[in-house]
Amino acid sequence: MKILVAGAGGFIGHHLVKRLKADGNWVCGVDLKLPEFEDSSADQFIIGDLRDPRVCSQAVVPELDEVYQLAADMGGAGYVFTGCHDAAIMHNSALINLNMAEACRLNGVPRIFYSSSACIYPQYNQMDPDNPVCSEDSAYPAQPDSEYGWEKLFSERLYLAYHRNWGLEVRIARLHNIFGPLGTWQGGREKAPAALCRKAAQACDGGTIEIWGDGMQTRTFLYIDECVEGILRLMRSDFSGPVNIGSSEMVSIKQLAEMVIEISGKKLSLKFVPGPQGVRGRCSDNRLIKARLGWASSQSLAQGLALTYLWIQQQVVESMGADLGAAKANPGL
Ligand code: NAD
């Protein structure tokens, strides 16, 4: 097949391109940037801004069999929940989706995948960390706790409207906290698993790592390979969604940190500090995907975390080496 992956320079997009290539497809990637940590295996890579409809017209061509739309202005809690980036997130991601939906319609693209998010679920159903409600039908009445979630909900509706009015085949997944190697691990857009792995890898034995909030907020985390598998199964099915793609293994952020510490092999203590946290509880409800696609994630959180920790530890060591090299080259700095 001929496939376009929008957001191919990002974490999930890059892994998806790799898998699509391994499966024997011809793949074009488009993004503002190339993947940060590894060369893209895409056959063609367009560097461009999808807020510009001309870039969408260049990337979305009639020969395509599938389009995966993953491009978005996004990040972890430190980016999405502070309120500082609300206007940019809504403006940038809505423009990308408006342009992509229209380009797919104009070019008769047979099928598009859209990456929505667990962040669309109403805040009022996620106050109890032990019993969050995130079944697909609980999305309305809508009350996402972030503008990021509102934009995702708007774009879900946009693609569904294109399906109803223009016959565009859409597949929509609500992804729940995807993690793994080759993802952002520093700089402010990283998410909890990567941030905790980095903090543990940087800490000295006997030291302390910081956690935002009281650590009792709960989440489920899905390893990247399983996310890609879920996306492909949904895309090749006759089910439009929206459907959750996530794990069922719910842990508190404190438990997540303790797992990372154990993997690091260090003796580290936790310090709870104020910081953006999002909702108190969130758990992927996986009954619908199981019923419609017969699929569920199977890998344990500990397995995925061990692979992620190893990769981030390597990044930390390499960046320390680079800092040391720069200091030696410029001793006056
Ligand atoms: P990411 O930030 O690593 O990837 C997004 C990519 O979009 C980036 O490479 C970025 O450069 C690109 N992009 C942003 N603005 C663009 C523009 N104007 N033109 C072209 N490219 C642009 O994020 P990710 O974790 O790979 O997430 C991929 C998608 O899945 C996003 O839509 C995200 O909202 C969604 N999602 C991710 C998670 C998760 O846990 N990672 C959870 C729910 C939903």
Side-chain angles (χ1 to χ4, degrees), residues 63-268:
E63 294 75 34
L64 291 172
D65 298 296
E66 292 182 343
V67 171
Y68 293 81
Q69 197 325 68
L70 297 134
D73 188 355
M74 69 94 70
Y79 187 73
V80 164
F81 297 122
T82 58
C84 303
H85 309 105
D86 286 351
I89 288 171
M90 296 190 90
H91 177 262
N92 294 340
S93 296
L95 272 184
I96 294 170
N97 285 309
L98 287 163
N99 290 339
M100 285 297 290
E102 185 62 2
C104 287
R105 174 181 85 83
L106 291 173
N107 288 282
V109 165
R111 192 166 286 204
I112 180 167
F113 168 84
Y114 173 57
S115 52
S116 183
S117 165
C119 290
I120 65 100
Y121 287 112
Q123 191 168 20
Y124 57 77
N125 275 335
Q126 301 175 89
M127 310 291 250
D128 177 355
D130 297 323
N131 295 296
V133 178
C134 292
S135 56
E136 287 80 353
D137 59 4
S138 71
Y140 297 95
Q143 196 198 16
D145 71 326
S146 65
E147 302 301 357
Y148 169 76
W150 278 106
E151 190 284 325
K152 287 286 183 196
L153 205 53
F154 162 76
S155 291
E156 281 190 6
R157 299 187 69 94
L158 173 76
Y159 287 108
L160 290 171
Y162 265 69
H163 172 62
R164 282 196 308 279
N165 295 165
W166 304 111
L168 180 66
E169 275 296 320
V170 295
R171 299 288 179 268
I172 300 173
R174 294 174 180 158
L175 307 178
H176 286 247
N177 296 310
I178 315 307
F179 75 100
L182 309 177
T184 304
W185 59 279
Q186 63 174 351
R189 288 188 189 235
E190 65 279 16
K191 298 185 153 204
L196 290 170
C197 287
R198 185 199 69 232
K199 289 175 187 182
Q202 287 173 334
C204 301
D205 205 9
T208 302
I209 61 174
E210 289 188 346
I211 290 193
W212 290 345
D214 61 4
M216 301 317 285
Q217 61 275 33
T218 53
R219 295 291 185 276
T220 56
F221 299 93
L222 184 69
Y223 190 67
I224 181 66
D225 291 355
E226 301 219 79
C227 169
V228 168
E229 180 66 29
I231 289 174
L232 292 179
R233 286 186 185 233
L234 175 64
M235 187 64 155
R236 312 275 161 78
S237 77
D238 60 3
F239 181 44
S240 293
V243 65
N244 292 327
I245 293 186
S247 151
S248 310
E249 190 180 343
M250 188 170 82
V251 292
S252 69
I253 297 299
K254 180 169 177 279
Q255 286 171 322
L256 181 72
E258 287 165 351
M259 290 170 89
V260 170
I261 290 172
E262 193 176 329
I263 291 165
S264 77
K266 299 180 187 174
K267 280 208 159 34
L268 299 172

Side-chain angles (χ1 to χ4, degrees), residues 57 76 129 170 241 265 301 329:
S57 321
V170 295
L301 176 57

